[in-house]
Amino acid sequence: MIELKDLSRRFQVGEQLVKALDAVDLAIGDGEYVSIMGPSGSGKSTLLNIIGLLDRPTSGEYLLDGRGTTSLDDDELAHVRARKIGFIFQSFHLVPRLTAFENVELPMVLAGTAPAERRRRADAMLASLNLTDRAEHRPDQLSGGQRQRVAIARAMVMEPTVLLADEPTGNLDHVSGADVLAALEGLNSRGITLLVVTHDDEVAARARRHVRMRDGRIVADGSSPGQPP
Amino acid sequence: MRFGDLLHLATESLVRARLRSIMMRLAMAIGVAAVVVLTSLGEGARRYVTGEFQALGTELLIVLPGRSETTGVQPGMFAGETPRDLTLDDARSLLRIPGVARIAPLVIGSVPVAAGELTREVPVVGSNSDFLAVRNLSMAQGSFLPPGELDRDLAVCVLGSKVRSELFPRGPAVGATVRIGDRRFRVIGVLADTGRAIGFDLQELVIIPVSSAQQLFNTQSLFRIMIQATSREAMPRVREAVRAMLKERHQGEEDVTVITQDAVLATFNRIFTALTLTLAGIASISLAVAGILIMNVMLVAVSQRTAEVGLMKALGARGRQITAIFLTEAVLLSIVGALGGLVIGFVADAIVSRFYPTLPLGPPPWAVVLAVLIAVASGVVFGLLPARRAARLDPVVALAGRR
């Protein structure tokens, strides 16, 4: 359960105060599938970063599963992030030196999970995304679609409740993009809350709920395909 | 995060970033190698000099004219009085001191030595039969100066091996006649090749009886008197007795210096240890430079891997873990570099030893340990700043820096 109450995020850019998020109220229930659309600079990435606990709001309240997050320190935020939130990025962000398997293993390495347990979980995760035969390949030996699926496996291996995808198909061709979306939707159907930030109407249309942003505000929020107001 | 995983992550990134890590390892290796080689040279020089002195025998006392201590103004200094000469009588008197085994008076000069058409300018030493034992020499052919009274000016001489081969390239030397200055001497022996000494090369030497040398050089004074004590324990006593005896003979004036091998040895030890320390200090500078290079390269690594740091944070890494990852890399690099430096240093040592076999090279253990410790420490110190910088990166900004 994600609850944002009167949440603002302001940046100081030179002499100008930029309102990336301006008094946003938003509630997303467990297991929802939400698309977030809007022009560049509308604040959708900032929204995603704040939900993902990578950024802090300037004012307002953010409750994750009923608990306030604004008073947590950096280490506590890292801990919550590791266990509740998975990230998918447009540019995959795989560590180039590490194999697919090692990339998937990385969150568990950081969490200090025992090696045997890591192997079991990473293998299962790769298998569920049809990547078993790619486990020992490095990112530069994988196709774009495969890379993004490795990234999904990595995001899911700690069994988070929320999956945040920032333009997950932005660097992919149509077929691989569809693959990746299918994988994400498969996870959503098993109860993961899925938030997808995208420019692509086609991608956004697949979500069940559509949030549209402009100038740091939510201008539309509905369960039908979003229309410009 | 487990320590094994930390090491694995660090090695992984070092293996992948080959050029970067090779450069850093090289810098560290050169630093450590410099310490090893330079201290080894200093230590080698010390051991060489020590060895030379010990070859002379440790029961040796040397009397030289004039006081070398510089405590205050000596009487007679302003009167223009030179120190009294050491004479053959002085030398003879020393034999009466208990604890003195042998004495060898010494007169040294350089004159042309000729055999037939061949002439060489070599140092000519005037001494007595005990010189052989005092200086630990041995004969290759013939016999040394015959024992007898110090003032017997026999016209005989002993040649160093090199002088022999130069003056008598063919045919036997023993029994032949050489001309030293304007006098003729019969060759009665040739020194063996063994025996080294500070000051002059025994192979390039002609030895004649001391009184013959005094006539040749037209002098009454001695250059040195070498005294061999019966034992090491007797040396302090002998030293005092020699001083007292010569003071008495020189009308109460203490105008000679008595030095012992031990004292000279201790002095040289101090000098060369200081030299080694200085060299170690100079070499340490290159270690510090290597440390700064590590910092630079790690800073570049951090900025190259900004996105990765952002990702790690997104995956739930705490700041301390990021610091640990980068610090481990820096320290691993310096350890590998230091070990490489040890190898380079010892190989260089071995090569130098091959060209200068007489120099007993070998770095002192403390220098080796210190070099490695400083290398690792500089990895920690200079790795810390980049690692902290990485840990402080804002994950949002870091992730936006796309690669």
Side-chain angles (χ1 to χ4, degrees):
Chain A
M1 184 70 180
I2 296 164
E3 291 167 273
L4 307 181
K5 292 174 184 168
D6 192 24
L7 188 137
S8 296
R9 177 70 171 104
R10 291 183 286 273
F11 295 103
Q12 187 80 41
V13 180
E15 302 223 325
Q16 215 181 348
L17 198 63
V18 177
K19 292 180 180 173
L21 290 179
D22 190 7
V24 168
D25 286 292
L26 183 66
I28 298 170
D30 289 340
E32 278 201 69
Y33 180 7
V34 183
S35 73
I36 301 169
M37 290 195 77
S40 298
S42 61
K44 51 191 194 311
S45 287
T46 304
L47 182 68
L48 207 66
N49 286 334
I50 284 181
I51 292 174
L53 298 171
L54 288 175
D55 200 0
R56 293 164 180 272
T58 314
S59 67
E61 195 83 50
Y62 169 23
L63 300 175
L64 181 61
D65 294 334
R67 284 177 48 196
T69 59
T70 37
S71 61
L72 298 179
D73 67 23
D74 284 348
D75 282 0
E76 289 166 329
L77 286 180
H79 187 83
V80 175
R81 204 152 56 219
R83 276 151 191 84
K84 294 204 167 178
I85 293 163
F87 290 91
I88 309 289
F89 306 95
Q90 178 176 5
S91 51
F92 322 129
H93 279 306
L94 298 179
V95 180
R97 316 182 285 283
L98 304 180
T99 63
F101 177 84
E102 287 168 327
N103 265 288
V104 174
E105 204 186 22
L106 193 55
M108 296 187 285
V109 168
L110 292 169
T113 311
E117 169 78 358
R118 294 204 306 247
R119 172 147 285 279
R120 192 180 63 70
R121 277 161 64 179
D123 280 343
M125 212 60 237
L126 286 167
S128 75
L129 287 155
N130 294 323
L131 288 165
T132 304
D133 57 338
R134 296 274 173 249
E136 297 310 317
H137 288 55
R138 264 183 251 290
D140 56 7
Q141 298 164 317
L142 298 172
S143 73
Q146 286 168 339
R147 288 186 210 184
Q148 196 60 301
R149 294 206 322 267
V150 171
I152 294 171
R154 184 180 61 191
M156 290 307 299
V157 81
M158 292 295 286
E159 295 165 359
T161 55
V162 178
L163 198 51
L164 304 175
D166 193 352
E167 301 275 8
T169 59
N171 280 355
L172 299 177
D173 61 48
H174 194 77
V175 178
S176 327
D179 261 9
V180 164
L181 284 177
L184 290 174
E185 285 159 6
L187 292 166
N188 173 247
S189 67
R190 277 183 271 143
I192 303 281
T193 309
L194 178 61
L195 269 74
V196 179
V197 165
T198 182
H199 273 107
D200 187 334
D201 289 329
E202 225 177 294
V203 172
R206 297 171 68 140
R208 285 192 297 278
R209 180 177 169 188
H210 311 278
V211 171
R212 186 167 280 277
M213 297 190 69
R214 176 167 295 166
D215 298 334
R217 290 174 165 274
I218 293 175
V219 292
D221 185 355
S223 48
S224 58
Q227 300 294 321
Chain B
M1 197 162 167
R2 288 148 180 271
F3 185 65
D5 291 330
L6 192 60
L7 281 184
H8 177 73
L9 270 182
T11 12
E12 196 84 43
S13 69
L14 293 186
V15 171
R16 300 290 157 228
R18 207 165 288 139
L19 184 66
R20 173 171 69 89
S21 53
I22 285 175
M23 294 307 286
M24 282 166 63
R25 263 174 289 183
L26 195 63
M28 206 34 102
I30 289 172
V32 171
V35 173
V36 169
V37 171
L38 288 181
T39 56
S40 159
L41 283 175
E43 181 73 1
R46 189 185 69 80
R47 285 191 206 147
Y48 176 77
V49 170
T50 308
E52 290 282 289
F53 271 89
Q54 268 159 356
L56 289 180
T58 45
E59 298 93 39
L60 211 58
L61 292 103
I62 300 166
V63 182
L64 34 150
R67 270 183 70 87
S68 66
E69 276 109 325
T70 51
T71 45
V73 176
Q74 292 161 33
M77 194 176 255
F78 298 114
E81 204 177 290
T82 50
R84 229 169 298 261
D85 291 338
L86 278 173
T87 62
L88 275 182
D89 286 336
D90 288 335
R92 227 176 267 123
S93 72
L94 297 178
L95 269 174
R96 294 200 300 270
I97 294 172
V100 171
R102 299 184 180 90
I103 63 148
L106 228 57
V107 177
I108 294 180
S110 189
V111 287
V113 176
E117 299 291 296
L118 295 166
T119 304
R120 285 267 290 139
E121 177 98 7
V122 291
V124 174
V125 171
S127 194
N128 64 348
S129 59
D130 282 339
F131 186 74
L132 190 72
V134 169
R135 295 303 295 263
N136 265 330
L137 305 178
S138 53
M139 302 301 295
Q141 297 159 26
S143 55
F144 197 66
L145 302 177
E149 276 305 303
L150 288 177
D151 48 16
R152 264 176 76 201
D153 55 339
L154 291 171
V156 294
C157 70
V158 173
L159 305 182
S161 60
K162 198 169 169 196
V163 177
R164 190 216 86 96
S165 59
E166 280 174 357
L167 291 182
F168 300 97
R170 286 172 295 274
V174 177
T177 305
V178 293
R179 207 171 56 248
I180 301 175
D182 52 4
R183 300 181 55 177
R184 295 165 70 81
F185 289 78
R186 190 164 53 85
V187 178
I188 57 168
V190 176
L191 288 175
D193 256 343
T194 55
R196 320 170 286 186
I198 299 288
F200 46 90
D201 187 348
L202 288 170
Q203 269 105 66
E204 255 190 282
L205 206 65
V206 174
I207 301 170
I208 58 176
V210 62
S211 54
S212 306
Q214 283 182 325
Q215 286 176 25
L216 193 65
F217 302 136
N218 191 23
T219 175
Q220 287 306 305
S221 65
L222 297 175
F223 175 66
R224 297 273 188 278
I225 302 175
M226 302 176 100
I227 303 167
Q228 193 174 31
T230 48
S231 69
R232 258 187 103 162
E233 290 68 44
M235 283 179 67
R237 203 156 24 90
V238 170
R239 182 187 164 131
E240 283 319 302
V242 166
R243 211 179 263 163
M245 169 78 80
L246 292 177
K247 185 175 176 181
E248 189 195 314
R249 290 181 57 82
H250 291 185
Q251 286 84 42
E253 191 108 12
E254 202 172 319
D255 57 1
V256 297
T257 302
V258 183
I259 54 175
T260 58
Q261 208 67 280
D262 279 1
V264 176
L265 210 58
T267 306
F268 271 102
N269 253 327
R270 273 202 304 279
I271 293 171
F272 279 96
T273 304
L275 176 74
T276 307
L277 281 173
T278 311
L279 289 174
I282 293 169
S284 302
I285 293 173
S286 61
L287 277 179
V289 172
I292 290 168
L293 186 69
I294 282 200
M295 178 160 68
N296 265 309
V297 179
M298 285 309 292
L299 281 174
V300 172
V302 169
S303 60
Q304 275 177 349
R305 280 153 65 188
T306 304
E308 191 183 313
V309 172
L311 169 80
M312 294 272 201
K313 291 199 161 180
L315 294 180
R318 277 170 288 140
R320 228 174 319 134
Q321 289 180 314
I322 306 278
T323 308
I325 289 169
F326 280 93
L327 201 54
T328 309
E329 274 185 37
V331 171
L332 267 186
L333 271 183
S334 24
I335 289 176
V336 173
L339 294 182
L342 288 186
V343 172
I344 295 175
F346 281 107
V347 167
D349 243 26
I351 292 170
V352 175
S353 304
R354 183 158 291 228
F355 285 105
Y356 299 96
T358 50
L359 208 56
L361 287 177
W366 60 261
V368 175
V369 172
L370 208 67
V372 173
L373 283 184
I374 292 179
V376 174
S378 74
V380 174
V381 170
F382 292 105
L384 207 55
L385 175 76
R388 296 285 276 277
R389 173 169 293 189
R392 274 200 304 267
L393 283 175
D394 178 353
V396 174
V397 176
L399 279 168
R402 304 219 165 103
R403 356 175 352 126

